[in-house]
């Protein structure tokens, strides 16, 4: 919030009360114009609601605020800041502002500030979350989770249980985001991911507040189409700018539910379209580069088909290198000749499955984020000419899920996803791939932010890492294992042990299932057994 989080002492100079009244009156006229314009543009919908967001600047100066006015009685909703400008702080008059909203029967959301941790915060909070603290990626994710926990604690102290908590991600001079390199932007995403998961685990739906240039600088224009958006126009450059934010593509690709603008007195908000400031659905998991998160708990899972019955079973991962008891989520899958989890292929925020039937038709089974799916959709035909189909995630760097397919000649083809459950024109990205007996799309193995491929050489059992370039091509391959021909099945659900590094699952001839956890770019931790009697399974993905 530009106004709500102006540092102490930097508020705009106050003029006479008459000037304040004039400014407020002008703002009311602008708001009325915006609302009437939006209403006239969509006569079939109810008029947009108008409200305000507030935080510590609206606290009395005696409580550390700036003494700015609370919203007028005409405000139809309010969004209340939980912090005093930075994570791990609390809005000093949160309780009184919550009480004010309740007494006026004004529906309220909350918002929490996100920030990159200081060295002291990283040291204090790196282990206070669901991820392993053995890696820097896990540590940063845990700090974001702790930021969410602090906000949840503040809400509990104020007896405030809003249906939605918005995550404010914007540049700041105090505790700035490091954003000069792509690697720093990826680390910033980890913090935001941790905050999202922390709110989710506490039972709060969430969305994102930012603006295009700020979001681009901090996250590298991270696309999160399944996460709701509260967009800000800042200071209005023209009267309809805030209303226009409702219909423009958002900074993150998510649906815009609220629009904001501000002046020297208040932050103003309006609802977009038919949204009536009601509850929002819980977004799907947004784990970076994950293709294996299927039930919405932010832990990667394993899917397996029973050979004798065609049952499809979900084995939910626990985020610590193991899974809970499998449950049957489908029957009749013996008719499918290829299966893979591909990530969010249709852009709704939930992990999906691609399946090829005996006739060569390719079907998309859209995940519902709860371990099941919506109605399947046919997305291709003639796919029985391919001997391998896999989902590597985003392989060409456009932040949309892609598919790789190997044909009978050994040519490898990239089918770039369009983010809506379809494809762009295919591109040949390799030849001679018929020498591999297994090809996996585990995600970003070497930590450079791009999707990679693992492939097992049929003649030697060597396992090769093909690092993706992020442009739909490869860098020089690296051998990462030998003797893998003893394994009868290979799969990669992504990060399975919670250290934010992709892992591999392998079944041996005796039916034992082993976890090979990655250790750096080219090594593995000692393998651990995670399953027994898996010989009845004919497909693991």
């Amino acid at each position: 919030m530009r106004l709500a989080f102006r540092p102490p002492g930097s508020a705009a100079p106050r003029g006479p009360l008459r000037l304040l009244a004039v400014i407020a009156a002008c703002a009311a006229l602008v708001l009325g114009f915006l609302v009437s314009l939006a209403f006239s543009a969509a006569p079939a919908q109810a008029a947009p609601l108008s409200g305000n967001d507030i935080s510590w600047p609206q606290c009395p100066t005696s409580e550390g605020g700036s003494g700015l006015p609370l919203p007028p009685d005409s405000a139809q909703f309010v969004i209340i800041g939980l912090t005093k400008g930075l994570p791990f702080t609390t809005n000093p008059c949160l309780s009184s502002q919550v009480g004010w909203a309740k007494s006026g029967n004004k529906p309220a959301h909350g918002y929490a500030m996100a920030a990159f941790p200081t060295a002291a915060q990283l040291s204090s909070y790196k282990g206070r979350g669901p991820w392993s603290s053995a890696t820097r990626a896990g540590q940063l994710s845990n700090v974001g989770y702790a930021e969410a926990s602090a906000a949840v604690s503040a809400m509990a102290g104020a007896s405030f249980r809003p249906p939605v908590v918005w995550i404010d991600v914007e540049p700041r001079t105090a505790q700035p985001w490091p954003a000069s390199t792509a690697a720093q932007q990826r680390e910033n995403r980890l913090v935001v991911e941790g905050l999202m998961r922390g709110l989710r685990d506490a039972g709060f739906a969430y969305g994102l507040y930012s603006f295009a240039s700020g979001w681009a600088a901090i996250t590298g224009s991270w696309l999160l189409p399944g996460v709701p958006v509260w967009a800000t126009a800042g200071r209005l450059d023209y009267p309809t700018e805030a209303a226009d934010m409702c219909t423009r593509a958002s900074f993150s690709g998510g649906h815009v539910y609220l629009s904001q603008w501000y002046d020297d007195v208040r932050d103003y908000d309006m609802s977009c379209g038919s949204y009536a400031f009601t509850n929002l659905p819980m977004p799907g998991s947004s784990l970076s580069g994950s293709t294996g998160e299927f039930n919405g708990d932010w832990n990667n899972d394993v899917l397996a088909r029973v050979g004798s019955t065609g049952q499809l079973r979900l084995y939910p991962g626990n985020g610590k290198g193991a899974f809970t008891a499998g449950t049957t989520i489908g029957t009749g899958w013996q008719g499918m000749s290829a299966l893979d989890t591909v990530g969010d292929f249709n852009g709704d925020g939930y992990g999906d499955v691609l399946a090829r039937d005996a006739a060569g038709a390719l079907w998309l089974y859209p995940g519902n984020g709860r371990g099941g799916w919506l109605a399947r959709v046919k997305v291709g035909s003639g796919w029985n000419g391919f001997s391998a189909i896999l989902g590597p995630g985003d392989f060409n760097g456009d932040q949309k899920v892609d598919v790789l397919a190997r044909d009978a000649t050994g040519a490898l083809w990239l089918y770039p996803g369009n983010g809506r459950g379809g494809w762009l024109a295919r591109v040949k990205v390799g030849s001679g791939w018929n020498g591999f007996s297994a090809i996996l799309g585990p995600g970003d193995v070497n930590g450079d932010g791009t999707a990679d491929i693992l492939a097992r050489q049929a003649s030697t059992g060597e396992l090769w890492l093909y690092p993706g370039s992020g442009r739909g091509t490869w860098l020089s391959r690296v051998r990462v294992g030998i003797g893998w021909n003893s394994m009868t099945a290979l799969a990669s659900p992504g990060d399975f042990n919670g250290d934010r590094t992709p892992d591999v699952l392998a079944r041996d001839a005796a039916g034992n299932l082993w976890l090979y956890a990655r250790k750096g770019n080219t090594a593995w931790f000692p393998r651990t057994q995670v399953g027994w009697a898996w010989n009845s399974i004919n497909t693991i993905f």
Side-chain angles (χ1 to χ4, degrees), residues 294-442:
F294 194 63
N295 64 354
D297 66 355
W298 287 74
N299 296 316
N300 285 321
D301 309 311
V302 176
L303 292 176
R305 180 178 60 184
V306 180
S308 60
T309 65
Q311 286 182 327
L312 193 64
R313 298 184 65 79
L314 168 66
Y315 291 84
N318 67 0
K320 302 182 185 303
F323 41 74
T324 57
T327 58
T328 299
I329 59 173
T331 58
W333 285 74
Q334 64 267 39
M336 298 298 177
S337 57
L339 296 166
D340 202 13
T341 50
V342 293
D344 178 20
F345 189 65
N346 62 356
D348 64 357
Y350 304 117
D352 306 318
V353 168
L354 283 178
R356 180 186 62 193
D357 65 22
L362 193 65
W363 296 90
L364 171 67
Y365 286 79
N368 63 10
R370 301 183 300 276
W373 20 67
L374 309 177
R376 72 176 188 173
V377 180
K378 187 176 180 180
V379 294
S381 57
W383 282 70
N384 45 7
F386 293 108
S387 57
I389 301 171
L390 64 143
D394 171 27
F395 191 65
N396 62 358
D398 64 357
Q399 296 195 62
K400 298 178 177 66
V401 169
D402 306 315
V403 171
L404 289 170
R406 180 184 63 189
D407 67 21
T409 70
L412 195 65
W413 295 89
L414 170 65
Y415 285 79
N418 63 9
R420 301 183 301 276
W423 328 90
L424 306 178
R426 73 174 188 173
V427 180
K428 186 177 179 180
V429 294
S431 58
W433 283 74
N434 45 6
F436 294 106
S437 56
I439 308 173
L440 310 176

Side-chain angles (χ1 to χ4, degrees), residues 3-4 44 63 118 202 223 264 293 350 357 362 389 410 446 454 477 479 482 500 505-506:
L3 175 65
E63 296 183 28
T118 64
L223 290 180
D264 287 335
E293 207 292 286
Y350 304 117
D357 65 22
L362 193 65
I389 301 171
N446 61 2
L454 289 172
R477 72 176 188 174
R479 192 175 73 174
I482 59 174
R500 306 307 306 262
L505 292 172

Side-chain angles (χ1 to χ4, degrees), residues 116-127 136 139-141 143:
F116 196 83
T118 64
Q121 289 170 345
L122 182 61
S123 177
S124 296
Y125 299 108
K126 64 184 180 182
R136 179 171 171 82
Q139 293 172 5
L140 290 171
S141 302
V143 173

Side-chain angles (χ1 to χ4, degrees), residues 96-487:
S96 62
Q97 290 177 353
V98 169
W100 170 85
K102 289 180 179 178
S103 66
N105 294 316
K106 298 186 187 301
H109 289 179
Y111 70 89
M113 302 300 293
F116 196 83
T118 64
Q121 289 170 345
L122 182 61
S123 177
S124 296
Y125 299 108
K126 64 184 180 182
R128 300 191 190 181
W131 287 281
S132 167
S133 60
T135 62
R136 179 171 171 82
Q139 293 172 5
L140 290 171
S141 302
N142 283 339
V143 173
Y145 195 91
E147 291 181 7
S149 297
V152 170
S153 178
M155 287 187 284
S159 299
F160 186 33
R161 185 80 191 183
V164 181
V165 176
W166 298 92
I167 301 170
D168 187 323
V169 182
E170 57 182 311
R172 64 188 70 259
T173 54
Q175 201 168 324
W177 294 91
S180 58
T181 68
Q184 289 175 327
Q185 291 171 337
R186 290 195 298 272
E187 289 196 337
N188 294 341
R189 294 182 187 186
L190 294 173
V191 176
V192 177
E193 279 184 338
L195 221 159
M196 289 192 288
R197 182 174 181 178
L199 291 172
R200 179 263 177 203
D201 285 357
F204 290 94
Y206 55 85
L208 295 167
Y209 168 96
S210 193
F211 54 97
S213 61
W215 184 254
I218 294 168
T219 72
S221 298
W222 189 17
L223 290 180
L224 294 170
V227 181
V229 165
W230 174 19
T232 180
R235 293 183 182 274
L236 294 181
D237 293 324
Y238 56 93
T240 64
E241 186 176 11
D244 290 347
M245 299 300 293
C246 291
T247 55
R248 291 178 185 166
S250 72
F251 54 83
S252 61
H255 180 78
V256 181
Y257 287 86
L258 296 170
S259 176
Q260 184 224 45
W261 73 102
Y262 57 83
D263 58 24
D264 287 335
V265 181
R266 290 190 173 99
D267 289 2
Y268 306 89
D269 301 284
M270 63 182 294
S271 62
C272 294
S274 60
Y275 180 55
F277 208 71
T278 49
N279 293 0
L280 292 175
M282 184 72 71
S285 163
S286 302
L287 280 172
S288 293
S290 171
T291 61
E293 207 292 286
F294 194 63
N295 64 354
D297 66 355
W298 287 74
N299 296 316
N300 285 321
D301 309 311
V302 176
L303 292 176
R305 180 178 60 184
V306 180
S308 60
T309 65
Q311 286 182 327
L312 193 64
R313 298 184 65 79
L314 168 66
Y315 291 84
N318 67 0
K320 302 182 185 303
F323 41 74
T324 57
T327 58
T328 299
I329 59 173
T331 58
W333 285 74
Q334 64 267 39
M336 298 298 177
S337 57
L339 296 166
D340 202 13
T341 50
V342 293
D344 178 20
F345 189 65
N346 62 356
D348 64 357
Y350 304 117
D352 306 318
V353 168
L354 283 178
R356 180 186 62 193
D357 65 22
L362 193 65
W363 296 90
L364 171 67
Y365 286 79
N368 63 10
R370 301 183 300 276
W373 20 67
L374 309 177
R376 72 176 188 173
V377 180
K378 187 176 180 180
V379 294
S381 57
W383 282 70
N384 45 7
F386 293 108
S387 57
I389 301 171
L390 64 143
D394 171 27
F395 191 65
N396 62 358
D398 64 357
Q399 296 195 62
K400 298 178 177 66
V401 169
D402 306 315
V403 171
L404 289 170
R406 180 184 63 189
D407 67 21
T409 70
L412 195 65
W413 295 89
L414 170 65
Y415 285 79
N418 63 9
R420 301 183 301 276
W423 328 90
L424 306 178
R426 73 174 188 173
V427 180
K428 186 177 179 180
V429 294
S431 58
W433 283 74
N434 45 6
F436 294 106
S437 56
I439 308 173
L440 310 176
D444 178 18
V445 174
N446 61 2
D448 64 356
T450 61
D452 306 317
I453 298 297
L454 289 172
R456 180 179 62 185
Q457 195 85 39
S459 59
T460 65
E462 294 171 297
L463 192 65
W464 294 92
L465 168 65
Y466 284 79
S469 67
R471 300 182 299 276
T473 58
W474 325 92
L475 306 178
S476 298
R477 72 176 188 174
V478 180
R479 192 175 73 174
V480 294
I482 59 174
W484 284 73
N485 269 347
S486 62
M487 298 297 173

